[in-house]
Amino acid sequence: MTTETIPSPPGLPLLGNLREMNRDMPGFLQRTARTTGPVSRVRMGPLSMVLVADPLLVHEMLVKRPQEFAKSWRTTRLLQGHVGDGLLTREGAENRRHRRLVLPSLHTQRIARYGEIMVGESQRLLGSWADGQRIEVVEEMTQLTLRIVGMSLFTVDDDGDEVFAAVHDFVNSLNAYLLSFGLLPGWLPTKTHRWRKASVARMDRLSYELIRRRRDRGGDGGDLLSMLISAKDPEGGPALTDTEIRDELLTMFFAGHETSATALTWACYELGRHPEIADRLRAEVAEVLGERPATMADLPHLPYLGQVVKETLRRWPPGWLFDRTPVADTRLGRHTVKAGQILFFSPYVIHTDPAYWPDPEEFRPERFAPGSEIPREAYLPFGDGPRICVGNRFAEAEIALVLATLVPRVTLEPVSDQPVQLSGQATIRPKGGLRLTVRTRRQGG
């Protein structure tokens, strides 16, 4: 079997493609996939990584041969300093054990209990907006989803403001560290490293206090924290230690609100750019709900809302960049890949592949209309295979219920008709934020 050399996009001596990655990583990866090929070698200074843009090869890594590929040492090192050894960084049997202990809190029956919080917090946000007000959507959606995840998964209430402020700072410090690519040693006293240490210390203090208080209270509070404390592994594994619970708390605080906030930001952006889609969605919600609040039980009866959510996750997948590394020398397609080589892939690149998605940069919810056939390998907003995001159902329900609450009551109009620029952080965001103007609507109008 012939082995082909992996091609590389043009780059600078020593720096390689680092400057382009810093300037516009999503755009650079998209261009590289389309011009260099489905498998290409990207250099960031001394670091060499292989971009896998072929959806079938990504499916092979995630679904058909997952035991042959682990998360890379780079991702583990970048994340561990913030979230420790939670689901994002654990491998093998320990990852499976933690998934068994976390998943029950995110089953459909549990998520239905969180629906009232999602809607109530959305109504609270609406009450803070005034007609004609210009809002910073990234910030508004971040605060909203942070409150939702804090109140539904951890029942943060009495000292919520302190916890929410700490998590907000923690997530921003993690994003800053990810953007640094971790190229400098952690012991150097850079601004980013000092920020990381301070934000993690603050979250440690608050997390262990949450755990201590919940242990003292006892009982099932109906949230993730209670279940982690009382969880018993059905396969006989040990209970979670306080350190393991802390790591899962920080993982869920980060992943549980950052991704939903980003998806909601992009949904607001697209509905503002496409008033005809917003009007159709508004009509469906009015027909099904009248003037009452949405519930989890309503979602199966709001098919167009579901299509809008799925198209948002296709066009702007929040979890936009992942990596793997082969645990032994292996073949991937026509290429031989050495053990330890970092392979990375991007749902953002895959979701805009014109071979799978006609006019991929157009926002068209009807792509997901009943009867549509979407190849599994072409749509992976939450990853795929045994490591698929455990919170995918929670996130989809949250996005849908928030939109079902906001859309009937407000129109969010673009402040500018200029296209947004992208910032590839832990999630893919509008660079510099996103400002929209609120126009309130009379209920039923």
Side-chain angles (χ1 to χ4, degrees):
M1 185 179 293
T2 303
T3 296
E4 294 187 5
T5 301
I6 299 176
S8 299
L12 297 173
L14 299 180
L15 292 178
N17 308 110
L18 183 60
R19 189 168 67 177
E20 295 162 292
M21 293 276 277
N22 274 328
R23 183 186 302 142
D24 176 17
M25 194 190 309
F28 170 73
L29 297 183
Q30 191 179 58
R31 291 190 299 273
T32 298
R34 293 180 182 180
T35 59
T36 307
V39 179
S40 53
R41 188 177 300 279
V42 175
R43 290 188 302 113
M44 295 192 301
L47 186 63
S48 170
M49 304 196 299
V50 173
L51 172 65
V52 182
D54 184 336
L56 289 171
L57 293 182
V58 172
H59 185 76
E60 190 174 327
M61 286 194 296
L62 301 184
V63 179
K64 294 184 177 180
R65 299 162 56 194
Q67 71 282 358
E68 298 179 34
F69 298 90
K71 283 206 170 183
S72 79
W73 58 266
R74 174 184 171 273
T75 292
T76 300
R77 181 167 62 84
L78 283 173
L79 293 174
Q80 272 181 330
H82 277 82
V83 301
D85 289 319
L87 279 173
L88 286 176
T89 55
R90 286 184 179 269
E91 290 290 341
E94 278 300 297
N95 180 274
R96 292 190 292 273
R97 169 178 162 253
H98 276 239
R99 290 179 75 91
R100 290 194 299 269
L101 294 169
V102 169
L103 273 171
S105 68
L106 296 168
H107 282 167
T108 303
Q109 296 91 329
R110 288 269 179 173
I111 294 174
R113 296 170 59 179
Y114 307 146
E116 289 186 15
I117 294 172
M118 297 171 182
V119 172
E121 287 301 313
S122 302
Q123 292 171 330
R124 180 179 179 273
L125 178 65
L126 278 170
S128 71
W129 292 347
D131 186 55
Q133 178 182 351
R134 285 189 176 183
I135 59 171
E136 209 311 293
V137 181
V138 175
E139 185 64 26
E140 296 285 321
M141 294 301 122
T142 297
Q143 292 299 324
L144 170 63
T145 57
L146 180 53
R147 289 186 62 85
I148 289 172
V149 78
M151 296 178 70
S152 56
L153 296 186
F154 310 111
T155 321
V156 173
D157 197 2
D158 294 342
D159 52 2
D161 289 344
E162 182 184 7
V163 174
F164 298 147
V167 174
H168 191 54
D169 181 67
F170 172 82
V171 170
N172 286 338
S173 75
L174 175 51
N175 275 321
Y177 188 62
L178 292 175
L179 282 175
S180 77
F181 299 111
L183 295 177
L184 296 176
W187 52 263
L188 282 177
T190 65
K191 178 182 177 181
T192 299
H193 292 161
R194 293 196 306 271
W195 187 8
R196 179 184 66 170
K197 289 177 182 177
S199 68
V200 169
R202 186 181 181 191
M203 282 306 303
D204 277 347
R205 175 177 60 82
L206 291 169
S207 297
Y208 285 120
E209 178 63 17
L210 280 174
I211 295 167
R212 184 192 64 77
R213 291 208 308 252
R214 189 59 58 85
R215 285 196 187 279
D216 290 345
R217 185 193 312 172
D220 181 2
D223 58 12
L224 175 65
L225 180 54
S226 293
M227 297 194 72
L228 290 177
I229 288 172
S230 61
K232 292 180 174 56
D233 187 347
E235 296 190 12
L240 295 174
T241 66
D242 281 4
T243 299
E244 289 177 311
I245 294 172
R246 171 267 186 203
D247 293 348
E248 296 302 353
L249 279 181
L250 296 194
T251 297
M252 290 296 176
F253 265 132
F254 167 61
H257 91 280
E258 172 91 351
T259 53
S260 295
T262 304
L264 283 165
T265 294
W266 288 117
C268 291
Y269 168 75
E270 293 291 2
L271 292 175
R273 291 176 65 239
H274 299 283
E276 73 286 357
I277 295 176
D279 286 342
R280 179 176 171 184
L281 177 56
R282 195 171 288 118
E284 178 183 78
V285 172
E287 180 180 355
V288 174
L289 303 182
E291 297 189 7
R292 67 175 175 80
T295 68
M296 201 72 69
D298 293 315
L299 296 184
H301 306 291
L302 296 165
Y304 192 65
L305 172 61
Q307 293 169 39
V308 168
V309 172
K310 289 183 181 298
E311 177 67 350
T312 300
L313 294 172
R314 179 203 69 84
R315 183 65 185 91
W316 308 105
W320 76 283
L321 194 63
F322 302 93
D323 71 14
R324 293 291 187 270
T325 185
V327 298
D329 293 357
T330 190
R331 288 188 65 86
L332 192 62
R334 295 192 295 267
H335 305 285
T336 297
V337 185
K338 296 289 187 181
Q341 170 66 63
I342 297 176
L343 311 171
F344 68 124
F345 63 95
S346 170
Y348 173 75
V349 172
I350 291 172
H351 290 184
T352 53
D353 184 341
Y356 287 85
W357 305 98
D359 300 315
E361 297 185 0
E362 293 293 319
F363 188 77
R364 297 178 181 173
E366 60 271 17
R367 297 180 201 270
F368 294 91
S372 301
E373 294 186 6
I374 307 296
R376 176 175 172 178
E377 68 272 12
Y379 184 69
L380 57 162
F382 299 101
D384 203 350
R387 293 200 67 142
I388 192 169
C389 172
V390 295
N392 56 347
R393 292 177 181 171
F394 181 96
E396 286 189 315
E398 178 183 18
I399 297 163
L401 287 174
V402 170
L403 291 179
T405 304
L406 299 184
V407 168
R409 294 163 180 80
V410 295
T411 297
L412 297 176
E413 299 177 349
V415 171
S416 167
D417 59 2
Q418 295 297 313
V420 297
Q421 294 182 307
L422 304 183
S423 174
Q425 302 180 29
T427 57
I428 192 165
R429 290 181 165 196
K431 183 177 290 186
L434 177 67
R435 296 185 68 78
L436 298 176
T437 301
V438 176
R439 300 296 178 193
T440 57
R441 302 177 61 89
R442 182 172 53 84
Q443 185 73 23

